[in-house]
Amino acid sequence: GESVGLHLPTLSVQEGDNSIINCAYSNSASDYFIWYKQESGKGPQFIIDIRSNMDKRQGQRVTVLLNKTVKHLSLQIAATQPGDSAVYFCASKDAGNNRKLIWGLGTSLAVNP
Amino acid sequence: DVKVTQSSRYLVKRTGEKVFLECVQDMDHENMFWYRQDPGLGLRLIYFSYDVKMKEKGDIPEGYSVSREKKERFSLILESASTNQTSMYLCASIGGYGGYTFGSGTRLTVV
């Protein structure tokens, strides 16, 4: 079946550095991808999304890159701050049922002061 | 902003009890979802609904049922709670193409 996976379960960065969180997906028919941030004790919160007709999309301090050739997705956070400490999930639309998302397991980002 | 509200943040129930988890969204979204989240297992879809009185099983529906009598409300029911249903339960909604909006979650402990 389809899967979405993250390369690293944990990532530790220094405050002010840039963070890169990677994700791979299995279904080349997936056409929509989303990154979520989940802080402790809260539900996941939408960060940024990208459609498969794009390679890059930028938000405020975040950039998502999509490489369809190798089925890889990354989230870049510029000038990482302590408030960025959270678990980050990538998800893709289920190509068989576009109401559903296929989720990765999450990367826990720790920001060191 | 879309708001998804889950009625309880924390619940403690006894084995065998019937448990109701309530979720309400305020943006007229058609699609609503119930997930459970466990360490190391990520988010797993229990049930979803794409319209009033419509429901579809997700990946782990066993031991659960759902009810959607009104568009804004989606209820998750544990018919007979068991200890392996201790988990964080997350409700989400989506109105079209785009990301889900999640509630804050209900942490359920079954003793």
Side-chain angles (χ1 to χ4, degrees):
Chain A
E2 295 182 54
S3 68
V4 174
L6 287 168
H7 292 190
L8 279 177
T10 61
L11 178 65
S12 183
V13 300
Q14 288 299 123
E15 182 177 355
D17 286 353
N18 296 333
S19 303
I20 299 175
I21 302 171
N22 295 302
C23 186
Y25 61 95
S26 66
N27 191 339
S28 56
S30 296
D31 66 351
Y32 180 66
F33 304 88
I34 315 171
W35 282 98
Y36 285 87
K37 172 186 180 182
Q38 186 176 23
E39 297 173 280
S40 181
K42 297 183 180 180
Q45 182 180 16
F46 173 90
I47 304 173
I48 192 167
D49 58 0
I50 188 167
R51 298 192 184 202
S52 59
N53 60 353
M54 303 171 71
D55 297 322
K56 179 179 179 179
R57 189 156 189 233
Q58 288 185 288
Q60 188 177 18
R61 282 201 308 118
V62 295
T63 301
V64 55
L65 298 177
L66 177 61
N67 185 329
K68 294 178 287 291
T69 303
V70 295
K71 292 184 281 189
H72 182 270
L73 190 69
S74 68
L75 176 71
Q76 301 179 0
I77 304 173
T80 312
Q81 302 169 1
D84 295 324
S85 293
V87 178
Y88 290 82
F89 293 93
C90 61
S92 67
K93 281 276 184 175
D94 186 331
N97 184 334
N98 65 9
R99 294 186 182 95
K100 295 170 62 177
L101 291 178
I102 299 171
W103 292 84
L105 294 179
T107 288
S108 179
L109 176 66
V111 181
N112 304 312
Chain B
D1 277 352
V2 177
K3 210 170 199 180
V4 176
T5 303
Q6 294 183 231
S7 54
S8 304
R9 291 299 304 274
Y10 300 94
L11 275 179
V12 180
K13 297 291 182 180
R14 295 194 179 277
T15 301
E17 275 193 78
K18 190 169 186 175
V19 181
F20 293 85
L21 302 183
E22 305 288 346
C23 176
V24 176
Q25 50 95 2
D26 65 0
M27 284 300 289
D28 203 36
H29 283 173
E30 294 86 8
N31 302 296
M32 297 186 74
F33 304 80
W34 275 106
Y35 285 89
R36 64 177 284 178
Q37 185 175 30
D38 302 286
L41 297 177
L43 281 82
R44 294 182 291 167
L45 181 63
I46 304 171
Y47 266 98
F48 66 103
S49 168
Y50 50 88
D51 203 349
V52 175
K53 296 191 187 296
M54 306 300 288
K55 61 185 180 184
E56 276 195 40
K57 292 180 180 179
D59 302 316
I60 51 163
E62 296 78 19
Y64 303 94
S65 62
V66 290
S67 172
R68 186 130 181 240
E69 297 296 318
K70 294 185 177 181
K71 194 172 188 179
E72 67 270 19
R73 185 180 296 271
F74 191 35
S75 303
L76 179 70
I77 304 155
L78 287 66
E79 297 291 342
S80 177
S82 64
T83 55
N84 64 12
Q85 292 178 310
T86 291
S87 187
M88 169 70 88
Y89 290 88
L90 290 162
C91 175
S93 75
I94 183 172
Y97 211 85
Y100 291 6
T101 299
F102 281 89
S104 297
T106 296
R107 186 165 293 281
L108 173 68
T109 301
V110 182
V111 298

